[in-house]
Amino acid sequence: MTELPKTLTDAAKALREGTVTSVALTEAAIAAADASDETIGTYLARFDEYALERAALADAELASGKDLGPLHGIPFGVKDILAMAEGPTTAQSLILDRSWGAGKDAPTVARVKAAGAVITGKTTTMEFACGMPDEAKPFPIPRNPWNPETWPGGSSSGTGSGVAAGMFLAGLGTDTAGSIRIPAAFCGVSGLMPTFGRVPKSGCVPLGYSLDHVGPLARGVRDCASVLEVLAGPDASDPDCVDAPFTAPEFTGDLTGLRIGVVREHHFPEGGDPAVEGTFDAAVAVLAERGASVIEVELPYWQEMITADMITMGCEALAYHRGDLSRRWDDYFVATRAMIATGAMVSGADYVQAQRMRRVAQDAIGRLFETVDVIASPTASVGAPAFQTLLGPNGETDVSTLFSYIHTPYWDSVGNPVLVVPMGFTGDGMPLSLQLAGPAFGEAAILRAGDAFQQSTDWHLRVPEPAVPAAV
């Protein structure tokens, strides 16, 4: 082959047709990392030798007729907040005891291994999935492969950048306020936050116990569906995980009868990128051309759910980190300790009230989904920001303004499944993203809509040029 497959789905097909091998896919992934990882900081740990061994085994198994499914032989990344037996979990922090999870696989990691995935390494994250890059700490600075002077999004930074840069065909991320969807959006790939409780979150360093989701990032929607089929289902180690396995829907591209609610309120703030609204309108038009009916809707309790997400995350993070934070304040990244410390400013009554409000909003969004099947909005009103724009007056990282342009936290508060897919570019050539939310355990509807969109567009197949060193 002159060109290797870009998507997990195409690679799985080629493996079975014998036109590519897992070793060839893995060697290409390693070559991409050799070329760009030093610049864009995708990996905290690379498992090149292990990956090649697993790839050779996958080729032998497939040749003998042993087929473990679509992930068999596919290069795959794992966010370094999930335990994996082959290496320590760091959560990109000096704080986490390196014996945490040692020698064990998180249930999600065990499942992708059992499905034959070739894990190429552990990927970078924001510290404990909530800090921002800190040059004073001995970890790579994750950068965006479309422009290394910009942020790749977080906290699943390395998984998003690695898929975009061709270092693996899919990977695991986590989402507490948008940490799968933001890097997918800013790096121009697809990402899926499953319904809370559909995928076990045990074996993941916690950020928000009642908010954390584990899910896939990949180029295409069908890729994400294949990974979710492997991840979904109960595990005794996670009391929040329910018996809800997932089977991918039939991807016909026909959306006849599908009702799509379009959200505009709060999603086009002053100061957003001028390309977003037209790009979003064009994306909605594609869904309509595929047969969907389009209805304007408003999300109930919008600001309340964003506030609830921040209150809940701050309090639940403090519950986990309080001891270390009091003893090792300086070892935390500056932005991490600032975020976690906000939990100390919230009373128990405020926390309880936030949980009550989440239940009210869940009931309200459930009623809204009786009138529509999917809710569409921009994932963010900007493309990936330059690192320089994230700095506060004293040189510290400050993302408070940026998050007024990011439209992900609402959905973590209510727990519904959300898919994001690339929908175009800014005038500066940075990816823009379409967000598709569904009812609880309604992943099939959003995946059908996202795949139909990708049958009509090729935004998800656009790839950045190999990264060059950043100027900052």
Side-chain angles (χ1 to χ4, degrees), residues 25-48 51 74-80 84 90 92 118-125 138-143 152 156-163 165-172:
L25 292 172
T26 303
E27 288 175 341
I30 290 171
D34 288 343
S36 298
D37 188 40
E38 185 175 354
T39 299
I40 64 174
T42 288
Y43 283 115
L44 279 165
R46 287 173 58 177
F47 303 147
D48 293 359
I74 299 295
F76 204 94
V78 172
K79 181 178 181 179
D80 194 33
M84 181 175 172
T90 72
Q92 195 142 343
V118 175
I119 298 177
T120 58
K122 301 290 288 294
T123 63
T124 48
T125 173
F139 297 99
I141 302 295
R143 296 179 180 274
S156 306
S157 309
T159 307
S161 68
V163 171
M167 296 185 197
F168 34 83
L169 292 174
L172 295 181

Side-chain angles (χ1 to χ4, degrees), residues 308-331:
D309 189 74
M310 296 300 108
I311 287 174
T312 303
M313 182 166 55
C315 290
E316 293 180 357
L318 182 64
Y320 182 82
H321 288 280
R322 187 168 184 168
D324 283 331
L325 202 64
S326 64
R327 294 187 298 269
R328 302 181 62 184
W329 177 266
D330 290 337
D331 285 339

Side-chain angles (χ1 to χ4, degrees), residues 183-376:
F186 286 169
C187 293
V189 301
S190 303
L192 175 64
M193 181 183 79
T195 305
F196 183 81
R198 180 152 229 166
V199 173
K201 64 184 185 302
S202 45
C204 172
V205 181
L207 175 55
Y209 297 99
S210 68
L211 297 167
D212 293 341
H213 307 242
V214 181
L217 294 89
R219 286 207 183 278
V221 170
R222 296 188 189 192
D223 305 347
C224 290
S226 293
V227 179
L228 182 59
E229 285 188 315
V230 170
L231 299 180
D235 190 277
S237 62
D238 181 2
D240 293 319
C241 191
V242 299
D243 188 2
F246 173 76
T247 300
E250 187 176 359
F251 292 120
T252 66
D254 183 3
L255 300 183
T256 301
L258 193 76
R259 303 165 298 173
I260 296 183
V262 172
V263 177
R264 297 186 182 279
E265 186 182 25
H266 306 298
H267 286 70
F268 299 100
E270 184 178 350
D273 192 280
V276 173
E277 189 163 9
T279 303
F280 175 68
D281 288 342
V284 172
V286 169
L287 297 173
E289 289 166 2
R290 284 277 174 176
S293 58
V294 176
I295 309 163
E296 298 279 338
V297 299
E298 295 180 2
L299 293 175
Y301 304 108
W302 171 258
Q303 192 57 57
E304 290 87 344
M305 285 305 92
I306 294 173
T307 302
D309 189 74
M310 296 300 108
I311 287 174
T312 303
M313 182 166 55
C315 290
E316 293 180 357
L318 182 64
Y320 182 82
H321 288 280
R322 187 168 184 168
D324 283 331
L325 202 64
S326 64
R327 294 187 298 269
R328 302 181 62 184
W329 177 266
D330 290 337
D331 285 339
Y332 280 89
F333 287 24
V334 172
T336 310
R337 67 195 187 207
M339 179 270 156
I340 297 173
T342 62
M345 311 298 177
V346 179
S347 71
D350 290 334
Y351 175 80
V352 170
Q353 189 68 1
Q355 308 321 302
R356 294 178 64 203
M357 196 66 231
R358 288 173 68 190
R359 176 62 66 186
V360 169
Q362 286 168 349
D363 290 343
I365 199 71
R367 290 191 296 274
L368 179 57
F369 275 115
E370 293 174 1
T371 66
V372 296
D373 303 301
V374 173
I375 293 176

Side-chain angles (χ1 to χ4, degrees), residues 397-452:
T397 304
D398 180 6
V399 296
S400 56
T401 300
L402 173 62
F403 270 81
S404 66
Y405 298 108
I406 293 175
H407 312 307
T408 55
Y410 177 94
W411 295 106
D412 292 276
S413 279
V414 295
N416 291 55
V418 189
L419 173 73
V420 299
V421 296
M423 67 176 186
F425 290 89
T426 68
D428 294 331
M430 300 305 293
L432 293 173
S433 176
L434 173 67
Q435 183 168 233
L436 300 169
F441 301 99
E443 283 87 348
I446 58 177
L447 289 164
R448 277 185 57 220
D451 179 73

